[in-house]
């Protein structure tokens, strides 16, 4: 296994202007992003843990759309949670049921969304119930993770996630063998693009992440090579040599089949970290709720053999880095909100941010802005 091969000259060059600062606060831009980006891409919803028995269901919102995810005898379904009668949300919260009954006029649907009953239906003329199912959405599972897309024509999940899966296997992480251990949810006071951009560069690591920089070789450009492949980006770094000779000095147990810290990003809002040591994958997803607010989820998937003590040390180490990032993101948002500095610049070590901004620019251009 080698580190990524990014030629040194690719890390020298001109500064690149960032997109206008107003894009971090403008509600019209967020509307465009919802339509052109989030409605067309796979969105990570959470784990299969509460969808193990037939009849289990949970409700979520994807973009502006209420969605209910169900486990039927055939598998997992994602259905638009909007009644075909007059638009009431059908399922509420989560639970287990044989049928989903709409609270408004009691039309009821099976777990695959087929309409089963409508009160007084014998009085309806030419009522063909098969014409009124809940709208089905593309849904797919990777390991224990459930993904849904609002676009019926989306390419299969495997086309999007397969490259990440391959590169993880290359570094010793088999997602299908990991088990969900912990979830942290937080609302970050920052635009989702500030969150993505913060993930997509390590130029800030040395000044802003002291423990991480002590553990990994990230204080120079050479220590953090990355690759940009359209909508998938990947970066790797190695732990400092001292932990090989003295593993006890490591901030958590770095001994195991995984030898690198690898940070991957899949457009638009799904990212993963894996750290040296026992099998682990930290999944970081972030979804805009308003121009200035983003809901982030951190899901830890760990080797089931990892002890609670080892898991706690790893999660403490990663959480510290995560909270440092939240403070950075929120400070950036305070910096952009007044539009006082109209544009920023991106340096060569921020090549992944340049690529990310191009994807955003392309989406905004598609909307004619
Ligand atoms: S809106 Fe659902 S039954 Fe009327
Ligand atoms: Fe960071």
């Amino acid at each position: 296994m080698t580190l990524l091969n990014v030629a040194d000259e690719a890390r020298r060059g001109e500064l690149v202007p960032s997109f206008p600062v107003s894009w971090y606060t403008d509600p019209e831009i967020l509307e465009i992003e919802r339509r052109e980006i989030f409605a067309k891409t796979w969105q990570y919803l959470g784990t299969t843990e509460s969808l193990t028995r037939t009849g289990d269901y949970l409700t979520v919102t994807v973009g502006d759309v209420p969605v209910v995810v169900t486990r039927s005898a055939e598998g997992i379904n994602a259905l638009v949670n909007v009644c075909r009668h007059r638009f009431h949300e059908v399922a509420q919260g989560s639970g287990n049921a044989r049928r989903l009954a709409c609270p408004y006029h009691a039309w009821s649907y099976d777990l695959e969304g087929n309409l089963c009953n409508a009160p007084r239906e014998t009085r309806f003329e030419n009522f063909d119930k098969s014409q009124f199912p809940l709208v089905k959405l593309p849904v797919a599972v990777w390991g224990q993770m459930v993904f849904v897309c609002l676009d019926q024509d989306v390419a299969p999940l495997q086309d999007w996630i397969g490259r990440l899966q391959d590169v993880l296997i290359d570094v010793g992480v088999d997602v299908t063998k990991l088990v969900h251990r912990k979830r942290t949810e937080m609302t970050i006071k920052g635009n989702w693009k500030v969150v993505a951009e913060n993930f997509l560069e390590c130029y800030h690591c040395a000044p802003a992440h002291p423990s991480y920089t002590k553990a990994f070789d990230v204080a120079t450009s050479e220590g953090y090579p990355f690759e940009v492949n359209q909508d998938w980006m990947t970066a790797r770094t190695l732990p400092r040599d001292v932990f090989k000779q003295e593993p006890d000095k490591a901030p958590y147990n770095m001994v195991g089949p995984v030898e690198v810290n690898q940070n991957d990003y899949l457009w638009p809002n799904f990212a993963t970290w894996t750290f040296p040591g026992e099998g682990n994958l930290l999944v970081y997803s972030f979804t805009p709720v308003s121009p200035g607010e983003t809901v982030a989820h951190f899901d830890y998937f760990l080797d089931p053999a990892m002890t609670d003590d080892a898991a706690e040390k790893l999660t403490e180490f990663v959480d510290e880095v995560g909270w440092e990032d939240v403070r950075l993101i929120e400070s950036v948002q305070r910096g952009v909100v007044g539009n006082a500095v109209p544009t920023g610049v991106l340096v060569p070590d921020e090549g992944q941010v340049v690529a990310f901004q191009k994807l955003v620019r392309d989406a905004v251009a598609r909307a004619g802005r």
Side-chain angles (χ1 to χ4, degrees), residues 198-199 201-202 204-205 208-209 212 273 321 324-325 328:
N198 167 266
F199 180 86
E201 49 89 5
C202 205
H204 73 271
C205 291
H209 295 310
Y212 180 63
W273 280 291
V321 180
E324 286 162 355
D325 280 326
L328 298 170

Side-chain angles (χ1 to χ4, degrees), residues 211-212 214-216 238-256 258 275-278 309-310 312-314 316-318 320:
S211 311
Y212 180 63
K214 223 165 133 191
F216 293 97
L238 291 169
R240 295 203 181 268
D241 284 341
V242 55
F243 304 128
K244 282 209 182 96
Q245 288 101 47
E246 297 176 276
D248 294 350
K249 293 239 165 82
Y252 67 92
N253 175 31
M254 287 187 173
V255 179
V258 187
F275 287 88
E278 298 169 87
D309 187 45
E312 202 171 309
K313 286 217 172 69
L314 172 65
E316 263 175 27
F317 174 75
V318 181
E320 182 181 332

Side-chain angles (χ1 to χ4, degrees), residues 5-292:
N5 183 19
V6 173
D8 194 34
E9 53 273 25
R11 306 290 287 275
R12 299 172 196 282
E14 304 271 320
L15 301 184
V16 177
S18 72
F19 50 49
V21 75
S22 60
W23 287 19
Y24 296 111
T25 56
D26 183 346
E28 273 179 36
I29 292 289
L30 181 58
E31 270 319 299
I32 292 170
E33 291 165 344
R34 284 217 166 106
R35 217 170 48 237
E36 293 295 327
I37 299 173
F38 292 97
K40 293 182 176 171
T41 48
W42 286 103
Q43 297 294 308
Y44 170 57
L45 292 191
T47 75
T48 53
E49 282 164 302
S50 52
L51 294 165
T52 54
R53 293 179 308 141
T54 300
D56 285 347
Y57 69 89
L58 58 92
T59 55
V60 289
T61 307
V62 182
D64 293 329
V65 179
V67 172
V68 57
V69 185
T70 66
R71 161 80 69 176
S72 65
E74 274 71 40
I76 289 183
N77 310 275
L79 308 164
V80 173
N81 189 22
V82 175
C83 187
R84 291 297 304 274
H85 175 220
R86 277 176 43 222
F87 320 115
H88 197 284
E89 291 156 301
V90 177
Q92 331 288 317
S94 60
N96 185 280
R98 209 164 59 83
R99 292 212 174 142
L100 305 174
C102 177
Y104 201 173
H105 312 91
W107 285 30
S108 68
Y109 302 85
D110 70 18
L111 296 165
E112 287 173 9
N114 303 302
L115 178 61
C116 302
N117 287 106
R120 305 180 207 173
E121 63 182 273
T122 53
R123 292 169 175 263
F124 309 170
E125 279 181 20
N126 300 322
F127 182 49
D128 178 358
K129 278 188 277 196
S130 73
Q131 297 304 301
F132 298 93
L134 297 179
V135 175
K136 266 195 174 205
L137 296 172
V139 67
V141 174
W142 180 51
Q144 277 185 300
M145 290 170 254
V146 182
F147 297 83
V148 67
C149 185
L150 295 179
D151 182 353
Q152 300 288 349
D153 299 323
V154 69
L157 181 83
Q158 198 56 32
D159 290 8
W160 180 70
I161 217 149
R163 300 157 298 172
L164 170 59
Q165 185 170 347
D166 291 348
V167 84
L168 286 175
I169 284 173
D170 185 41
V171 298
V173 177
D174 180 351
V175 172
T176 63
K177 300 220 162 70
L178 304 179
V179 175
H180 187 243
R181 187 82 69 99
K182 179 184 167 190
R183 163 167 271 209
T184 307
E185 175 181 314
M186 65 173 81
T187 300
I188 303 175
K189 293 193 191 74
N191 183 270
W192 75 275
K193 298 186 291 299
V194 180
V195 176
E197 290 165 0
N198 167 266
F199 180 86
L200 285 170
E201 49 89 5
C202 205
Y203 185 45
H204 73 271
C205 291
H209 295 310
S211 311
Y212 180 63
T213 304
K214 223 165 133 191
F216 293 97
D217 181 21
V218 290
T220 62
S221 302
E222 292 73 23
Y224 196 81
F226 59 79
E227 270 184 31
V228 172
N229 305 279
Q230 295 276 358
D231 59 349
W232 164 54
M233 308 185 204
T234 183
R236 277 183 198 165
T237 186
L238 291 169
R240 295 203 181 268
D241 284 341
V242 55
F243 304 128
K244 282 209 182 96
Q245 288 101 47
E246 297 176 276
D248 294 350
K249 293 239 165 82
Y252 67 92
N253 175 31
M254 287 187 173
V255 179
V258 187
E259 290 178 5
V260 297
N261 164 219
Q262 175 159 308
N263 306 322
D264 284 279
Y265 165 83
L266 283 169
W267 167 258
N269 59 337
F270 183 77
T272 62
W273 280 291
T274 189
F275 287 88
E278 298 169 87
N280 70 91
L281 190 72
L282 169 55
V283 168
Y284 177 33
S285 61
F286 39 92
T287 305
V289 289
S290 69

